[in-house]
Amino acid sequence: MAQIDIKQPTVAKAMADSRNGVDRYEVADSRAKGLRLRVSAGQVIWQFRFMMDKQASRLTLGTVETWSIAEARTLVSDAQVLIRGKIRRPDDAWVAEQLIAHGKVTAPVVPILAAQAETWTWERAVRLFIEHVEATLREATFKDYRNRLTRTPELARFAGLPVAGITRKDAAKVLADIHSRGVESQSEHLRDVIKSMWRWLCLDQHSDESGVHDNVMVGLRAPDRTKLEEVRQGEYIPPMHEVGRIMAIAKSGAIDERISLAIQLLVYTCQRVTPISKARRDGMAFAEDRRQGTWSMSAAHRKTADKRGDRADHIVPLPPQAWAVVERAKELTEEMDHPRLFPGYRPKKAGGPVDAIAQSAIQHNVSYMPGVIATPHDIRRSFASLAAEKFEWTLEDVKSILDHNEGVKSGDVTARSYLFKGTHKKWRIARAWCDWVDEATAEAIAYDRRLHDVDWLKAQIEYNRRRHKGLRLPKVDLKKRVAA
């Protein structure tokens, strides 16, 4: 269909054709992609055609009497933002919201019960709940809850409403909208945050002011994941050849060395991303033979410690392979004189201090690796499942490394002495795992020669990075690709 710059004479002709009972036809606008002027007997309307998630859609925006040409183009522009960002699929409900926002219709009056009139609004409830989280839970949890509740666009529909009037169905619709834009894990995560918030709102000391007397969110569920995603998230156990591939790419030189060393320490120790990024230099100590060492992390950096109320340090043995990573990390940042083993590259705020390397730097660089689908956390499952079966470890053995059960109580001088001497039972576990990782790394390199090609790895990592961030992808020269 030919496209034209729709102007007022175009609209006037369409309206005349409509009055004369002309056969249906459409005019495509050249200035707003997807905008159509649809003409039929007795009706001239604006229509928006678009693709989202490989699904073609037609959306009626309204009549030419309702929307001017400029307004129709603005609507299409706003809708394209939602589509590109996968924020929300424009639909009839969205059009209704735009009619209200542009003053075309009067917003329906939402009845507020007298009992709800003086209770907390959504904004006040969120602010007070976040303050509670900041005062009682870990900093990472506080930041996560704050971002979920204040930066999720689907929650904007609750603005100004009393929380006492928000139902479980209302929350379920929010989760469904998030799920529909392809971020299924975020839908599940927000479900947990909302349920936690409502448990707090209906506490006896808050219920009179919040107006929430019953926890209506108890049965709140996020939409089921797609089959592929359901298998991938929360259940995936990376085979050892994939663990070896991650280590091979990390050691290849294709990734910034500081991030590479953090990934290597994560694989060798099977610790979470948070303690890896926040590891302190003074937490690393030589063992007796000085070829290996130990890593002591305080309870402040341990998720499991918070759950158990454990104040003891978690001590992880570092066999020679892992200790070499620590030594290189210290050498690399020695001139910085920074307390962190992996200092960041820039301050979080202009003029502020440089703290630890961002956790996302570790997570994203693993996700950019070609041929890798595992997340950093998935490696812990390989340790707990594959390695435990191979080496016949007990559940307590596994927990002693993963920090689900420290195994070294505060003040246990004998156990600490064995750890530094290299004779504690945890050393046997750590050495077996590190040796197996090295074997898997060598096998991965032998199997895929491209892991020797640093230029190829850099190009693949950059391609995946740009695709992940929605940036323009580099052009591919097919002749050169075939020649290669």
Side-chain angles (χ1 to χ4, degrees):
M1 176 184 295
Q3 296 183 342
I4 67 170
D5 183 358
I6 295 178
K7 297 181 179 180
Q8 195 56 43
T10 312
V11 175
K13 180 181 183 303
M15 295 179 70
D17 290 342
S18 175
R19 288 193 295 269
N20 294 330
V22 70
D23 291 338
R24 185 173 62 191
Y25 68 90
E26 294 182 357
V27 180
D29 185 35
S30 61
R31 294 175 58 183
K33 183 180 179 181
L35 179 62
R36 303 286 180 89
L37 189 63
R38 188 178 177 88
V39 185
S40 60
Q43 190 179 52
V44 182
I45 62 172
W46 295 109
Q47 189 180 79
F48 175 42
R49 296 191 180 188
F50 62 93
M51 291 285 293
M52 186 173 184
D53 297 329
K54 298 181 180 180
Q55 180 181 346
S57 297
R58 295 184 183 185
L59 179 63
T60 298
L61 302 177
T63 66
V64 291
E65 291 88 359
T66 302
W67 302 106
S68 68
I69 301 171
E71 288 173 333
R73 286 171 176 156
T74 299
L75 285 181
V76 169
S77 177
D78 292 344
Q80 292 286 11
V81 172
L82 299 179
I83 295 166
R84 285 195 299 271
K86 294 188 176 181
I87 298 171
R88 174 183 178 184
R89 176 181 291 276
D91 54 14
D92 292 339
W94 178 79
V95 172
E97 292 169 11
Q98 301 310 304
L99 288 167
I100 295 172
H102 288 78
K104 303 296 182 180
V105 298
T106 304
V109 177
V110 179
I112 299 177
L113 301 178
Q116 298 176 0
E118 301 300 325
T119 58
W120 292 346
T121 61
W122 167 257
E123 291 85 353
R124 179 173 173 79
V126 167
R127 177 173 60 80
L128 294 175
F129 174 64
I130 290 176
E131 289 175 358
H132 160 73
V133 173
E134 183 179 20
T136 58
L137 300 179
R138 299 167 64 242
E139 181 183 4
T141 305
F142 154 67
K143 290 180 178 179
D144 177 62
Y145 278 31
R146 180 191 61 191
N147 292 340
R148 301 284 174 184
L149 291 171
T150 61
R151 298 182 183 179
T152 301
E154 287 81 3
L155 289 173
R157 68 190 69 182
F158 295 151
L161 296 180
V163 287
I166 298 174
T167 67
R168 188 174 67 217
K169 287 184 178 179
D170 295 331
K173 290 177 181 177
V174 168
L175 300 183
D177 287 345
I178 296 173
H179 184 278
S180 67
R181 63 178 164 101
V183 283
E184 300 178 4
S185 61
Q186 291 187 25
S187 175
E188 295 174 355
H189 197 142
L190 183 63
R191 170 205 59 196
D192 296 336
V193 174
I194 290 175
K195 291 174 73 172
S196 177
M197 178 177 170
W198 250 256
R199 282 196 298 269
W200 181 80
L201 289 173
C202 69
L203 291 175
D204 290 343
Q205 61 267 38
H206 304 312
S207 59
D208 287 342
E209 294 177 284
S210 70
V212 179
H213 298 279
D214 299 307
N215 189 355
V216 297
M217 301 298 174
V218 169
L220 180 63
R221 291 187 56 190
D224 293 335
R225 290 197 182 192
T226 57
K227 187 174 182 180
L228 178 62
E229 188 71 10
E230 191 173 20
V231 172
R232 169 66 188 82
Q233 293 286 346
E235 306 254 345
Y236 184 61
I237 301 174
M240 283 307 294
H241 68 76
E242 186 174 1
V243 175
R245 187 178 183 87
I246 293 172
M247 185 63 87
I249 297 174
K251 290 181 175 182
S252 67
I255 300 174
D256 177 89
E257 188 174 10
R258 200 181 306 174
I259 299 174
S260 164
L261 292 169
I263 294 173
Q264 291 177 52
L265 187 63
L266 183 145
V267 176
Y268 276 137
T269 62
C270 294
Q271 298 306 296
R272 294 183 175 91
V273 174
T274 299
I276 292 290
S277 69
K278 296 182 179 294
R280 297 182 61 87
R281 296 169 73 98
D282 57 14
M284 307 295 173
F286 282 112
E288 198 170 68
D289 64 1
R290 302 186 72 81
R291 291 180 55 253
Q292 49 197 358
T294 58
W295 173 17
S296 299
M297 64 188 79
S298 67
H301 302 312
R302 294 166 49 212
K303 183 177 181 180
T304 312
D306 277 350
K307 291 182 178 180
R308 293 200 312 260
D310 183 1
R311 298 293 95 191
D313 288 350
H314 176 46
I315 302 179
V316 179
L318 301 175
Q321 306 98 309
W323 185 248
V325 173
V326 172
E327 293 270 72
R328 175 55 186 161
K330 286 183 175 181
E331 178 185 342
L332 190 64
T333 58
E334 187 173 3
E335 294 182 358
M336 295 180 64
D337 190 27
H338 199 282
R340 300 291 187 192
L341 186 65
F342 305 111
Y345 294 90
R346 61 185 67 86
K348 291 183 178 179
K349 295 182 179 179
V354 175
D355 193 25
I357 192 173
Q359 298 176 38
S360 59
I362 300 173
Q363 295 165 330
H364 288 166
N365 275 276
V366 171
S367 71
Y368 300 155
M369 292 179 174
V372 171
I373 63 172
T375 66
H377 195 80
D378 289 337
I379 296 171
R380 291 164 63 86
R381 296 192 186 93
S382 300
F383 176 87
S385 179
L386 304 180
E389 182 178 353
K390 176 180 175 66
F391 299 110
E392 299 182 350
W393 295 333
T394 66
L395 182 59
E396 292 302 306
D397 290 339
V398 172
K399 287 182 175 181
S400 70
I401 296 295
L402 296 185
D403 184 29
H404 294 307
N405 179 16
E406 167 48 34
V408 179
K409 297 185 182 300
S410 179
D412 189 339
V413 178
T414 302
R416 288 177 179 270
S417 175
Y418 285 159
L419 271 166
F420 284 107
K421 287 181 179 179
T423 54
H424 192 277
K425 68 175 184 177
K426 291 169 74 169
W427 279 99
R428 168 179 56 84
I429 301 169
R431 288 170 184 144
W433 170 253
C434 287
D435 289 344
W436 200 23
V437 168
D438 285 351
E439 291 176 15
T441 304
E443 290 175 1
I445 294 173
Y447 177 78
D448 190 347
R449 292 183 178 181
R450 294 175 301 177
L451 298 182
H452 288 289
D453 189 342
V454 177
D455 291 337
W456 179 82
L457 287 172
K458 286 183 176 180
Q460 292 296 309
I461 290 170
E462 175 62 14
Y463 180 88
N464 291 335
R465 184 189 74 83
R466 297 184 71 84
R467 185 175 63 179
H468 173 78
K469 293 182 177 293
L471 303 175
R472 180 177 296 177
L473 299 176
K475 293 183 179 180
V476 177
D477 189 322
L478 294 180
K479 292 182 179 179
K480 290 183 179 179
R481 176 68 63 84
V482 171

